Each structure stands twice: as structure tokens, then as C-alpha cells.
Amino acid sequence: NAGVTQTPKFQVLKTGQSMTLQCAQDMNHNSMYWYRQDPGMGLRLIYYSASEGTTDKGEVPNGYNVSRLNKREFSLRLESAAPSQTSVYFCASSESVTNQPQHFGDGTRLSIL
Amino acid sequence: AQSVAQPEDQVNVAEGNPLTVKCTYSVSGNPYLFWYVQYPNRGLQFLLKYITGDNLVKGSYGFEAEFNKSQTSFHLKKPSALVSDSALYFCAVRTGGYQKVTFGTGTKLQVIP
């Protein structure tokens, strides 16, 4: 029972570098989400995909892009990393946006120097 | 619009004592309310949800929450705290006409042996 799998678990980047965070779920869920978690700020939604083929902006989308590759996979890309993007990133999935709860991966800890 | 507040950054309770983690919400419309728990270096795990019906909701690991519409609150409770309950707890809310879930900033629960 893998659930939601995120890769990599840790990453250090230099300012200006790009990278893609990968997420896959094996629960046949329709909806997927990307959050960032920063101390004292809880979870903030970056982007979500209500269903395969659709993506929408969340609360803090600037500096990020996403791709819903297929029903299982939802990737998050940082085109030109900035120190302000140092955070812990979580991917989550749910049966649908209206049928919760969300199931979370264990996160990617990203540091940008 | 929707928002959720967790007024306490940290709650300390002695093992065996009852615990309460507070949550208040603001929505236009009927709320869907959730509690999640996060252990160190892990993703969030779903505890319980309120959609409609009985105001007292029972969830995983002996936790329960009480929905109070007049006070717009959804406090998490447990009759007898365990050291293993020590973790970060998040309240979340969604309204029917809104696809996104809004998370609170989290409350750290420390159960003292």
C-alpha cells in the first residue's frame, strides 16, 4: 500500500537552478494537489488538479508550474529556484475535490542556497 | 471565502488527562471540516471529518471532534492523552461551492509523561 509517493525526499539547489518534484498515487484518485509547508504558516496550496487534464492555481502559484501527466502522476516544476522557495513540499490526492479526505505523501525537503 | 484559525500554537497536557485542540472557522455556506495529524518528517494523516449530521464526530486513535455551529468551532478532543499523541494537528475547512481546502496553521500537542 504505497499511497502517495514523492521523489526526491531531499534536495539542495542553487539559486536559479530548475528542478521537478515528482508525485504518484496508486489509489485511482481523480484529484491531486501540491502544497508547501513553512513554519508558522501551515499548508498553502500551490496548484491542484481536479481531474486528469485540468490544473488550477492555488494560493501561492508564482514561481511554479505543474503537469498532470496522467491520472497517477502530478509533477511540480521550479523553473528558476529562489531562496524564498526553500520549504517542505507535499503532494496529496483525493477521490475528488468534493469527496475528501486528502491522502498525503511524506514530503520533499527542498533547500535553495 | 473561507478561513480557519487555530488559536494555540502549542498545547501541553499530562498523560492520562483529557486533551482539547481548538479550531474555529469562517465560511459562507455550510462547512465541511477536517482534522489531520502530522508526525515528524511525515505527511499529514486524516483523523476525522464533519460533513453533516451528528455534531459529535468520532475518528481514528480515539479522537473525536464537536461541531458547534453557533460558535463556528470544531474542537478536537480525546478523553485520555497518550505520549504517542504528541504531534502537530491541523484543522481544515471547505465549503460546498469551493473546491479548495483551507488549512489552519497547526497546533503542536505535547503530552507529558
Side-chain angles (χ1 to χ4, degrees):
Chain A
N1 293 335
V4 178
T5 302
Q6 293 184 236
T7 55
K9 295 188 185 304
F10 304 92
Q11 186 69 47
V12 178
L13 293 178
K14 294 180 179 179
T15 298
Q17 287 185 317
S18 62
M19 83 161 292
T20 300
L21 280 61
Q22 306 287 354
C23 174
Q25 53 92 6
D26 62 2
M27 295 171 283
N28 201 35
H29 284 169
N30 290 301
S31 302
M32 298 185 73
Y33 314 82
W34 276 105
Y35 294 91
R36 59 178 290 173
Q37 183 178 26
D38 302 292
M41 302 192 74
L43 270 72
R44 293 182 291 169
L45 182 65
I46 304 171
Y47 273 93
Y48 70 102
S49 171
S51 61
E52 186 178 357
T54 70
T55 60
D56 284 287
K57 294 179 180 179
E59 183 183 354
V60 288
N62 291 343
Y64 305 95
N65 286 301
V66 291
S67 296
R68 184 74 183 267
L69 305 170
N70 48 55
K71 191 172 185 179
R72 291 186 64 249
E73 298 173 287
F74 189 39
S75 63
L76 178 72
R77 183 163 178 83
L78 287 69
E79 291 291 352
S80 179
S84 61
Q85 294 178 305
T86 293
S87 187
V88 182
Y89 291 86
F90 287 98
C91 177
S93 70
S94 63
E95 289 188 17
S96 69
V97 290
T98 55
N99 193 349
Q100 303 280 337
Q102 296 179 19
H103 299 258
F104 286 79
D106 284 338
T108 294
R109 285 147 186 83
L110 182 62
S111 292
I112 299 163
L113 306 177
Chain B
Q2 59 189 33
S3 65
V4 62
Q6 295 182 242
E8 301 156 318
D9 290 336
Q10 182 159 338
V11 170
N12 297 322
V13 62
E15 185 177 23
N17 283 2
L19 68 87
T20 299
V21 182
K22 296 180 180 178
C23 171
T24 59
Y25 65 90
S26 175
V27 298
S28 51
N30 292 322
Y32 301 98
L33 294 154
F34 309 86
W35 274 103
Y36 289 82
V37 60
Q38 184 181 31
Y39 298 101
N41 299 315
R42 301 297 303 275
L44 278 67
Q45 297 177 34
F46 170 73
L47 280 179
L48 51 81
K49 67 179 178 181
Y50 172 83
I51 303 298
T52 186
D54 194 348
N55 289 343
L56 186 63
V57 179
K58 294 188 183 298
S60 306
Y61 312 121
F63 284 93
E64 58 189 27
E66 186 171 10
F67 172 66
N68 188 316
K69 189 173 183 178
S70 63
Q71 297 186 3
T72 61
S73 67
F74 189 57
H75 300 332
L76 182 69
K77 299 181 180 182
K78 188 175 183 181
S80 178
L82 300 173
V83 173
S84 57
D85 293 330
S86 297
L88 191 56
Y89 290 80
F90 289 93
C91 182
V93 67
R94 189 181 74 81
T95 51
Y98 197 59
Q99 291 188 331
K100 303 167 195 174
V101 172
T102 299
F103 286 84
T105 53
T107 297
K108 182 178 181 180
L109 174 67
Q110 191 79 24
V111 180
I112 303 163

